[in-house]
Amino acid sequence: MSLRPARLRRALRAAAVIAPAALLLAACAPIVPFEAAPDAADADCASLVVRLPDTVAELPKRETNAQGTGAWGEPASVLLRCGVPVPGPTTERCVSVDGIDWIIDESDAPRYLFTTYGRTPAVEVLVDNDVVGGTTAIADLSNAVGVIPADGGCTSVDDLGEVPSEG
């Protein structure tokens, strides 16, 4: 008879430990919904995704529901999509961070959209600048993005040199 109450006490103790753990797991951040980019199935996107860091700007990585994507932070403050359309020539600001060239779209500030320039497939990273600095985020992603070979890069009028005059 004394074994039954002992088993009951063990079961109650186990339930007391498991119930809070189950609540914590249920409270985990939900999957970040995404729409996959048109070329997300590109082999270079797969190579990039397996190299995505566990943290970006000290924000933890989140699970996403689409191929070729990544997200960090709660709420998600850094969002990455690989396989977006390759940008053509542009007058938007273009910067180089850790050997990766990025076009910066500041039209929705403080959310900035960084798109790789001179890499196929292209990668875009949306950063909430109220939470994290864009340069920090793209620097943390440079090792992963760098697996996509560069086939061009940013240029400026100064890079073109002197233009010969007609005459």
Side-chain angles (χ1 to χ4, degrees):
M1 278 290 203
S2 65
L3 289 178
R4 281 196 170 155
R7 284 184 185 165
L8 181 60
R9 282 193 299 275
R10 278 194 301 254
L12 288 173
R13 278 194 298 258
V17 170
I18 292 171
L23 287 174
L24 284 174
L25 290 175
C28 284
I31 294 173
V32 178
F34 263 99
E35 182 177 323
D39 291 326
D42 187 288
D44 283 331
C45 287
S47 294
L48 177 148
V49 168
V50 299
R51 289 172 174 79
L52 290 175
D54 291 333
T55 60
V56 169
E58 299 181 12
L59 300 174
K61 188 175 180 184
R62 302 269 306 276
E63 187 175 348
T64 63
N65 70 345
Q67 188 171 4
T69 62
W72 294 264
E74 176 63 42
S77 301
V78 177
L79 305 169
L80 175 144
R81 286 191 334 148
C82 183
V84 298
V86 175
T90 182
T91 57
E92 292 188 71
R93 188 163 62 127
C94 192
V95 299
S96 185
V97 176
D98 291 339
I100 311 292
D101 288 350
W102 299 90
I103 297 170
I104 305 171
D105 179 350
E106 301 169 305
S107 63
D108 194 25
R111 294 185 315 169
Y112 297 108
L113 182 64
F114 295 83
T115 305
T116 56
Y117 192 76
R119 291 175 192 265
T120 304
V123 176
E124 69 181 14
V125 178
L126 182 64
V127 177
D128 182 346
N129 206 53
D130 282 342
V131 177
V132 63
T135 303
T136 301
I138 61 175
D140 286 354
L141 293 166
S142 64
N143 284 337
V145 174
V147 303
I148 300 174
D151 53 18
C154 298
T155 59
S156 71
V157 174
D158 296 335
D159 295 334
L160 299 176
E162 191 172 320
V163 177
S165 60
E166 292 184 36

